[in-house]
């Protein structure tokens, strides 16, 4: 299994990232030893996916502390640099969560911060495996199918996490149990996380799949070609509203009309109880040129304006199940303002 985020001590202390902008064409790695390089990797999506961002949020504090030592930063400068990492993208709660979890250890020195960051990495892998078992059990019971056909959106595999994956982890778990049918992977415009990354992981894992354009997904659901939609999450609010890659809410609406489950899978670190409802989530707006150009070439007339929200919010009443490593709740049928407290971190 690919390792998206790793701490290495040799030849010098660094975060090693697989550069996700180059997959599937190249498997190249970035060696991150400065805050600037990390912020750039986050902004360009060389590292992406909420749980992976949690890990680099935490490990990034170690990078900042080492750079502070080398360059003689005072405490105020160090704090400002940590905040640059923490705020490099706004929607996935995990990035700020990872940085904030290790910050109390800064006074104890680099080793203490690194130890806590390593715990985050360990815990994430274990959480993903556990939520995958729980999610697979829930889906098999809910659908009653011998082989479950799945549609998924964006990338939620090992690349998006520290290991195994979330929504992808459930798909992998169904495959491991011999209970998986065909997987429909949405290509995920504009940056193609589904076509480039999910299809790459499914291919490596020997899982039968097709890549479809995002616009096909709701029709795939309404035509009865799939039994469940499984997606990841960037932030799940206290009532179960969920931010995920733009296009997710279209799947949820189609699932409701088709009467099939729409399942959100995430580690408990993605649950944000301090945000009450989805309308309080800040949705990242990316450069419009990602929409008006394709692979660097213009795809819209010169001067056309792009609109590029990177995420959307699915209201809790469209979500059949939210699965974390702590359990499953069913927001569509048991709505409650603090529903997610039961399975939060
Ligand atoms: O913009 P991205 O690629 O970081 O968006 C990622 C997603 O929307 C994922 O579905 C989400 O972070 C969950 S990853 C396990």
């Amino acid at each position: 299994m690919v390792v998206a985020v790793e701490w290495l001590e040799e030849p010098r202390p660094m975060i090693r990232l697989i550069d996700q902008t180059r997959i599937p064409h190249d498997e190249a790695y970035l060696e991150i030893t400065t805050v600037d390089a990390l912020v750039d990797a986050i902004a360009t999506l060389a590292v992406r996916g909420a749980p992976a961002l949690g890990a680099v949020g935490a490990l990034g504090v170690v990078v900042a502390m080492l750079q502070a030592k080398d360059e003689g930063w005072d405490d105020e400068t160090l704090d400002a640099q940590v905040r640059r990492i923490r705020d490099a993208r706004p929607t996935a709660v995990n990035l700020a969560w990872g940085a904030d979890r290790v910050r109390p250890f800064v006074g104890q020195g680099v080793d203490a911060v690194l130890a806590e960051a390593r715990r985050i990495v360990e815990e994430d892998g274990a959480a993903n495996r556990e939520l995958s078992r729980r999610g697979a059990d829930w889906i098999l019971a809910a659908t009653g199918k011998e082989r479950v056909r799945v549609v998924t959106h964006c990338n939620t595999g090992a690349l998006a996490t520290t290991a195994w994956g979330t929504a992808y982890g459930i798909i992998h778990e169904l495959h491991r149990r011999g209970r998986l049918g065909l997987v429909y992977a949405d290509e995920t415009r504009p940056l193609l996380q589904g076509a480039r990354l999910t299809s790459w992981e499914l291919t490596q894992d020997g899982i039968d799949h097709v890549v479809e354009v995002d616009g096909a997904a709701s029709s795939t659901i309404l035509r009865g070609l799939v039994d469940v939609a499984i997606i990841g999450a960037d932030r799940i609010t206290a009532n179960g509203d969920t931010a995920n890659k733009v296009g997710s809410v279209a799947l949820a609406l189609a699932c409701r009309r088709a009467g099939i489950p729409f399942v959100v899978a995430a580690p408990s670190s993605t649950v944000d109880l301090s945000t009450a409802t989805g309308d309080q989530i800040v949705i990242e707006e990316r450069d419009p040129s990602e929409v008006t150009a394709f692979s660097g070439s213009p795809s819209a007339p010169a001067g056309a304006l792009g609109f590029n929200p990177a995420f959307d919010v699915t209201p809790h009443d469209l979500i059949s199940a939210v699965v974390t490593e702590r359990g499953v709740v069913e927001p569509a049928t048991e709505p409650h303002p603090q529903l997610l407290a039961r399975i939060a971190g």
Side-chain angles (χ1 to χ4, degrees), residues 45 48-51 89 154-156 160-161 166 193 232-234 244-245 311:
L45 273 52
R48 46 148 300 280
R89 292 184 80 193
C154 198
N155 172 262
T156 58
T161 64
T166 59
Q193 289 93 329
D234 288 85
N244 191 55
K245 179 53 58 193
F311 301 96

Side-chain angles (χ1 to χ4, degrees), residues 12 23 39 66 70 88 90 195 218 255 329 332:
R12 61 194 186 285
I23 295 174
V39 169
L66 292 172
D70 280 354
S218 43
C255 284
V329 293

Side-chain angles (χ1 to χ4, degrees), residues 153 186 214-215 217-219 221-222 229 245-257 262 312-315 318:
H153 194 70
D186 289 355
D214 298 350
S218 43
S219 161
I221 292 167
L222 293 176
K245 179 53 58 193
V246 68
S248 299
V249 68
L251 271 65
L253 288 161
C255 284
R256 168 57 54 86
R257 181 68 165 74
F262 179 83
D312 61 26
V313 176
T314 299
L318 294 177

Side-chain angles (χ1 to χ4, degrees), residues 159-238:
L159 286 169
T161 64
T162 64
W164 188 250
T166 59
Y168 187 97
I170 297 177
I171 293 168
H172 202 169
E173 175 66 15
L174 289 167
H175 174 68
R176 204 187 60 76
R177 296 185 192 182
R179 303 294 298 275
L180 183 67
L182 188 62
V183 175
Y184 291 76
D186 289 355
E187 69 169 354
T188 317
R189 278 283 287 153
L191 298 179
L192 306 182
Q193 289 93 329
R196 294 187 303 106
L197 309 178
T198 302
S199 182
W200 184 75
E201 291 196 56
L202 288 164
T203 302
Q204 290 203 332
D205 291 329
I207 295 177
D208 288 342
H209 68 282
V210 289
V211 178
E212 64 178 0
V213 296
D214 298 350
S218 43
S219 161
T220 297
I221 292 167
L222 293 176
R223 288 168 66 197
L225 298 178
V226 293
D227 306 301
V228 63
I230 318 175
I231 63 155
D234 288 85
R235 191 181 296 249
I236 306 172
T237 61

